[in-house]
Amino acid sequence: MSQNIEIINRRKENIETISPLLSALRTISLSNWRSSLNREINLKSYINQLEGAYKIVKENANINHPYNISRKKILYIIGTNRGLCGNFNKNIHNLFIQENLFKHDKLEIILIGKRLSRVFKQANLLFSNSLDFPDIKNIQDFATPLSSSAATNFQHASISVLYNKYIGASKYTTTLQRIYPREDINLVERDINSGGFIVDTDPQQLMRTIEFISFNSRLQLCLLSSLASESSVRFSIMENAGRNVDDMINELKIIIQDHRRGKITTETQELAVSSGLLNSNK
């Protein structure tokens, strides 16, 4: 029995070393979760102002801006660099297969996330390029060169993002969303009066600039939403793992304490017998 208790005690000590790691991962996940949501709120407000400016330019210039998206198609697929987030990357892979995106010959696929790249390689799925998911403080710098590269194809491209869209704590929906061109902008309902503005820049150049900035912002928005989803899921997993570790430690402590109490009781009885206070059962 003493040998078993030693094993149990070592097991408890090993599990106790895991607890600080889970706590650190939980704290990091919570920080990324909150930061990404706060940045997402600010970015949505900025995008709303951009679309208002787009409305002003378009109405003052009276430009019909048709899109030709028949040639090139670009797809950004956003996953994670790290694990410990359930089926996060697998769900993206599953939607990619369900939508038959692997059958599009002219589709340029750019993967974002080490783990996601590994999933696609294991499934023998082809892609054009793979990038690491940036730290939250570098998301803007990360999105800018991607946007600049895609901007050369604006007149003849359709640009979409496949990612896990944040919808609540530990909840997300795997989404295929087109971010350029944007046909769902309701310019009529924008609460902006364009009559008091004078556009003294070339309207077409100004609209292209706004489109680029809007596209860059929407790409950042998808990255932030994906990061919020990932961090939220990882926080929940670490929270549950932390509770399970605490429960296991408490259970092992009870076993060790019961053994100690039994050992103390036995030693006390032996002392009482040796001093003549109790009769030996033997």
mmCIF file with all atom_site columns, all heavy atoms in Angstrom, residues 169-181:
data_model
loop_
_atom_site.group_PDB
_atom_site.id
_atom_site.type_symbol
_atom_site.label_atom_id
_atom_site.label_alt_id
_atom_site.label_comp_id
_atom_site.label_asym_id
_atom_site.label_entity_id
_atom_site.label_seq_id
_atom_site.pdbx_PDB_ins_code
_atom_site.Cartn_x
_atom_site.Cartn_y
_atom_site.Cartn_z
_atom_site.occupancy
_atom_site.B_iso_or_equiv
_atom_site.pdbx_formal_charge
_atom_site.auth_seq_id
_atom_site.auth_comp_id
_atom_site.auth_asym_id
_atom_site.auth_atom_id
_atom_site.pdbx_PDB_model_num
ATOM 1   N N   . ALA A 1 169 ? -19.510 33.749 -26.797 1.00 0.00 ? 169 ALA A N   1
ATOM 2   C CA  . ALA A 1 169 ? -18.525 33.038 -25.981 1.00 0.00 ? 169 ALA A CA  1
ATOM 3   C C   . ALA A 1 169 ? -18.481 31.556 -26.350 1.00 0.00 ? 169 ALA A C   1
ATOM 4   O O   . ALA A 1 169 ? -19.498 30.866 -26.256 1.00 0.00 ? 169 ALA A O   1
ATOM 5   C CB  . ALA A 1 169 ? -18.858 33.207 -24.504 1.00 0.00 ? 169 ALA A CB  1
ATOM 6   N N   . SER A 1 170 ? -17.325 31.106 -26.782 1.00 0.00 ? 170 SER A N   1
ATOM 7   C CA  . SER A 1 170 ? -17.091 29.710 -27.184 1.00 0.00 ? 170 SER A CA  1
ATOM 8   C C   . SER A 1 170 ? -17.978 29.282 -28.353 1.00 0.00 ? 170 SER A C   1
ATOM 9   O O   . SER A 1 170 ? -18.203 28.093 -28.552 1.00 0.00 ? 170 SER A O   1
ATOM 10  C CB  . SER A 1 170 ? -17.321 28.755 -25.999 1.00 0.00 ? 170 SER A CB  1
ATOM 11  O OG  . SER A 1 170 ? -16.505 29.103 -24.914 1.00 0.00 ? 170 SER A OG  1
ATOM 12  N N   . LYS A 1 171 ? -18.485 30.265 -29.108 1.00 0.00 ? 171 LYS A N   1
ATOM 13  C CA  . LYS A 1 171 ? -19.361 29.942 -30.232 1.00 0.00 ? 171 LYS A CA  1
ATOM 14  C C   . LYS A 1 171 ? -18.867 30.646 -31.490 1.00 0.00 ? 171 LYS A C   1
ATOM 15  O O   . LYS A 1 171 ? -18.455 31.806 -31.447 1.00 0.00 ? 171 LYS A O   1
ATOM 16  C CB  . LYS A 1 171 ? -20.797 30.383 -29.946 1.00 0.00 ? 171 LYS A CB  1
ATOM 17  C CG  . LYS A 1 171 ? -21.457 29.663 -28.776 1.00 0.00 ? 171 LYS A CG  1
ATOM 18  C CD  . LYS A 1 171 ? -22.863 30.182 -28.550 1.00 0.00 ? 171 LYS A CD  1
ATOM 19  C CE  . LYS A 1 171 ? -23.535 29.501 -27.376 1.00 0.00 ? 171 LYS A CE  1
ATOM 20  N NZ  . LYS A 1 171 ? -24.884 30.040 -27.128 1.00 0.00 ? 171 LYS A NZ  1
ATOM 21  N N   . TYR A 1 172 ? -18.907 29.933 -32.594 1.00 0.00 ? 172 TYR A N   1
ATOM 22  C CA  . TYR A 1 172 ? -18.553 30.518 -33.881 1.00 0.00 ? 172 TYR A CA  1
ATOM 23  C C   . TYR A 1 172 ? -19.263 29.743 -34.980 1.00 0.00 ? 172 TYR A C   1
ATOM 24  O O   . TYR A 1 172 ? -19.761 28.631 -34.759 1.00 0.00 ? 172 TYR A O   1
ATOM 25  C CB  . TYR A 1 172 ? -17.030 30.485 -34.112 1.00 0.00 ? 172 TYR A CB  1
ATOM 26  C CG  . TYR A 1 172 ? -16.428 29.094 -34.112 1.00 0.00 ? 172 TYR A CG  1
ATOM 27  C CD1 . TYR A 1 172 ? -16.451 28.287 -35.255 1.00 0.00 ? 172 TYR A CD1 1
ATOM 28  C CD2 . TYR A 1 172 ? -15.825 28.583 -32.977 1.00 0.00 ? 172 TYR A CD2 1
ATOM 29  C CE1 . TYR A 1 172 ? -15.907 27.019 -35.265 1.00 0.00 ? 172 TYR A CE1 1
ATOM 30  C CE2 . TYR A 1 172 ? -15.264 27.306 -32.967 1.00 0.00 ? 172 TYR A CE2 1
ATOM 31  C CZ  . TYR A 1 172 ? -15.310 26.542 -34.106 1.00 0.00 ? 172 TYR A CZ  1
ATOM 32  O OH  . TYR A 1 172 ? -14.765 25.279 -34.111 1.00 0.00 ? 172 TYR A OH  1
ATOM 33  N N   . THR A 1 173 ? -19.348 30.367 -36.127 1.00 0.00 ? 173 THR A N   1
ATOM 34  C CA  . THR A 1 173 ? -19.915 29.701 -37.286 1.00 0.00 ? 173 THR A CA  1
ATOM 35  C C   . THR A 1 173 ? -18.900 29.760 -38.425 1.00 0.00 ? 173 THR A C   1
ATOM 36  O O   . THR A 1 173 ? -18.339 30.827 -38.716 1.00 0.00 ? 173 THR A O   1
ATOM 37  C CB  . THR A 1 173 ? -21.245 30.357 -37.711 1.00 0.00 ? 173 THR A CB  1
ATOM 38  O OG1 . THR A 1 173 ? -21.732 29.718 -38.899 1.00 0.00 ? 173 THR A OG1 1
ATOM 39  C CG2 . THR A 1 173 ? -21.087 31.839 -37.970 1.00 0.00 ? 173 THR A CG2 1
ATOM 40  N N   . THR A 1 174 ? -18.627 28.630 -39.028 1.00 0.00 ? 174 THR A N   1
ATOM 41  C CA  . THR A 1 174 ? -17.677 28.582 -40.137 1.00 0.00 ? 174 THR A CA  1
ATOM 42  C C   . THR A 1 174 ? -18.331 29.211 -41.362 1.00 0.00 ? 174 THR A C   1
ATOM 43  O O   . THR A 1 174 ? -19.377 28.761 -41.818 1.00 0.00 ? 174 THR A O   1
ATOM 44  C CB  . THR A 1 174 ? -17.261 27.133 -40.425 1.00 0.00 ? 174 THR A CB  1
ATOM 45  O OG1 . THR A 1 174 ? -16.801 26.522 -39.208 1.00 0.00 ? 174 THR A OG1 1
ATOM 46  C CG2 . THR A 1 174 ? -16.150 27.090 -41.450 1.00 0.00 ? 174 THR A CG2 1
ATOM 47  N N   . THR A 1 175 ? -17.697 30.256 -41.876 1.00 0.00 ? 175 THR A N   1
ATOM 48  C CA  . THR A 1 175 ? -18.335 31.138 -42.863 1.00 0.00 ? 175 THR A CA  1
ATOM 49  C C   . THR A 1 175 ? -17.462 31.319 -44.097 1.00 0.00 ? 175 THR A C   1
ATOM 50  O O   . THR A 1 175 ? -16.246 31.473 -43.991 1.00 0.00 ? 175 THR A O   1
ATOM 51  C CB  . THR A 1 175 ? -18.597 32.524 -42.227 1.00 0.00 ? 175 THR A CB  1
ATOM 52  O OG1 . THR A 1 175 ? -19.379 32.364 -41.052 1.00 0.00 ? 175 THR A OG1 1
ATOM 53  C CG2 . THR A 1 175 ? -19.308 33.443 -43.195 1.00 0.00 ? 175 THR A CG2 1
ATOM 54  N N   . LEU A 1 176 ? -18.113 31.312 -45.245 1.00 0.00 ? 176 LEU A N   1
ATOM 55  C CA  . LEU A 1 176 ? -17.467 31.691 -46.506 1.00 0.00 ? 176 LEU A CA  1
ATOM 56  C C   . LEU A 1 176 ? -18.057 33.040 -46.913 1.00 0.00 ? 176 LEU A C   1
ATOM 57  O O   . LEU A 1 176 ? -19.231 33.133 -47.265 1.00 0.00 ? 176 LEU A O   1
ATOM 58  C CB  . LEU A 1 176 ? -17.714 30.640 -47.587 1.00 0.00 ? 176 LEU A CB  1
ATOM 59  C CG  . LEU A 1 176 ? -17.132 30.936 -48.971 1.00 0.00 ? 176 LEU A CG  1
ATOM 60  C CD1 . LEU A 1 176 ? -15.610 31.051 -48.910 1.00 0.00 ? 176 LEU A CD1 1
ATOM 61  C CD2 . LEU A 1 176 ? -17.547 29.863 -49.976 1.00 0.00 ? 176 LEU A CD2 1
ATOM 62  N N   . GLN A 1 177 ? -17.240 34.075 -46.844 1.00 0.00 ? 177 GLN A N   1
ATOM 63  C CA  . GLN A 1 177 ? -17.726 35.441 -47.027 1.00 0.00 ? 177 GLN A CA  1
ATOM 64  C C   . GLN A 1 177 ? -16.923 36.167 -48.095 1.00 0.00 ? 177 GLN A C   1
ATOM 65  O O   . GLN A 1 177 ? -15.697 36.153 -48.075 1.00 0.00 ? 177 GLN A O   1
ATOM 66  C CB  . GLN A 1 177 ? -17.621 36.202 -45.699 1.00 0.00 ? 177 GLN A CB  1
ATOM 67  C CG  . GLN A 1 177 ? -17.989 37.670 -45.766 1.00 0.00 ? 177 GLN A CG  1
ATOM 68  C CD  . GLN A 1 177 ? -17.772 38.366 -44.434 1.00 0.00 ? 177 GLN A CD  1
ATOM 69  O OE1 . GLN A 1 177 ? -17.709 37.730 -43.382 1.00 0.00 ? 177 GLN A OE1 1
ATOM 70  N NE2 . GLN A 1 177 ? -17.641 39.679 -44.472 1.00 0.00 ? 177 GLN A NE2 1
ATOM 71  N N   . ARG A 1 178 ? -17.623 36.802 -49.016 1.00 0.00 ? 178 ARG A N   1
ATOM 72  C CA  . ARG A 1 178 ? -16.938 37.605 -50.032 1.00 0.00 ? 178 ARG A CA  1
ATOM 73  C C   . ARG A 1 178 ? -16.734 39.010 -49.480 1.00 0.00 ? 178 ARG A C   1
ATOM 74  O O   . ARG A 1 178 ? -17.681 39.655 -49.041 1.00 0.00 ? 178 ARG A O   1
ATOM 75  C CB  . ARG A 1 178 ? -17.753 37.654 -51.326 1.00 0.00 ? 178 ARG A CB  1
ATOM 76  C CG  . ARG A 1 178 ? -16.918 38.156 -52.508 1.00 0.00 ? 178 ARG A CG  1
ATOM 77  C CD  . ARG A 1 178 ? -17.670 38.062 -53.810 1.00 0.00 ? 178 ARG A CD  1
ATOM 78  N NE  . ARG A 1 178 ? -18.665 39.118 -53.943 1.00 0.00 ? 178 ARG A NE  1
ATOM 79  C CZ  . ARG A 1 178 ? -19.550 39.189 -54.922 1.00 0.00 ? 178 ARG A CZ  1
ATOM 80  N NH1 . ARG A 1 178 ? -19.598 38.241 -55.828 1.00 0.00 ? 178 ARG A NH1 1
ATOM 81  N NH2 . ARG A 1 178 ? -20.406 40.175 -54.985 1.00 0.00 ? 178 ARG A NH2 1
ATOM 82  N N   . ILE A 1 179 ? -15.496 39.470 -49.515 1.00 0.00 ? 179 ILE A N   1
ATOM 83  C CA  . ILE A 1 179 ? -15.196 40.805 -48.989 1.00 0.00 ? 179 ILE A CA  1
ATOM 84  C C   . ILE A 1 179 ? -14.898 41.804 -50.106 1.00 0.00 ? 179 ILE A C   1
ATOM 85  O O   . ILE A 1 179 ? -14.760 43.000 -49.844 1.00 0.00 ? 179 ILE A O   1
ATOM 86  C CB  . ILE A 1 179 ? -14.035 40.763 -47.984 1.00 0.00 ? 179 ILE A CB  1
ATOM 87  C CG1 . ILE A 1 179 ? -12.764 40.214 -48.626 1.00 0.00 ? 179 ILE A CG1 1
ATOM 88  C CG2 . ILE A 1 179 ? -14.421 39.955 -46.762 1.00 0.00 ? 179 ILE A CG2 1
ATOM 89  C CD1 . ILE A 1 179 ? -11.547 40.265 -47.703 1.00 0.00 ? 179 ILE A CD1 1
ATOM 90  N N   . TYR A 1 180 ? -14.766 41.311 -51.339 1.00 0.00 ? 180 TYR A N   1
ATOM 91  C CA  . TYR A 1 180 ? -14.639 42.221 -52.490 1.00 0.00 ? 180 TYR A CA  1
ATOM 92  C C   . TYR A 1 180 ? -15.092 41.500 -53.761 1.00 0.00 ? 180 TYR A C   1
ATOM 93  O O   . TYR A 1 180 ? -14.677 40.368 -54.002 1.00 0.00 ? 180 TYR A O   1
ATOM 94  C CB  . TYR A 1 180 ? -13.204 42.721 -52.676 1.00 0.00 ? 180 TYR A CB  1
ATOM 95  C CG  . TYR A 1 180 ? -13.113 43.734 -53.790 1.00 0.00 ? 180 TYR A CG  1
ATOM 96  C CD1 . TYR A 1 180 ? -13.347 45.072 -53.549 1.00 0.00 ? 180 TYR A CD1 1
ATOM 97  C CD2 . TYR A 1 180 ? -12.852 43.334 -55.102 1.00 0.00 ? 180 TYR A CD2 1
ATOM 98  C CE1 . TYR A 1 180 ? -13.316 45.997 -54.580 1.00 0.00 ? 180 TYR A CE1 1
ATOM 99  C CE2 . TYR A 1 180 ? -12.819 44.247 -56.131 1.00 0.00 ? 180 TYR A CE2 1
ATOM 100 C CZ  . TYR A 1 180 ? -13.053 45.580 -55.865 1.00 0.00 ? 180 TYR A CZ  1
ATOM 101 O OH  . TYR A 1 180 ? -13.030 46.481 -56.881 1.00 0.00 ? 180 TYR A OH  1
ATOM 102 N N   . PRO A 1 181 ? -15.897 42.134 -54.602 1.00 0.00 ? 181 PRO A N   1
ATOM 103 C CA  . PRO A 1 181 ? -16.593 43.387 -54.315 1.00 0.00 ? 181 PRO A CA  1
ATOM 104 C C   . PRO A 1 181 ? -17.740 43.169 -53.335 1.00 0.00 ? 181 PRO A C   1
ATOM 105 O O   . PRO A 1 181 ? -18.270 42.076 -53.224 1.00 0.00 ? 181 PRO A O   1
ATOM 106 C CB  . PRO A 1 181 ? -17.126 43.814 -55.694 1.00 0.00 ? 181 PRO A CB  1
ATOM 107 C CG  . PRO A 1 181 ? -17.321 42.530 -56.415 1.00 0.00 ? 181 PRO A CG  1
ATOM 108 C CD  . PRO A 1 181 ? -16.224 41.620 -55.952 1.00 0.00 ? 181 PRO A CD  1
#
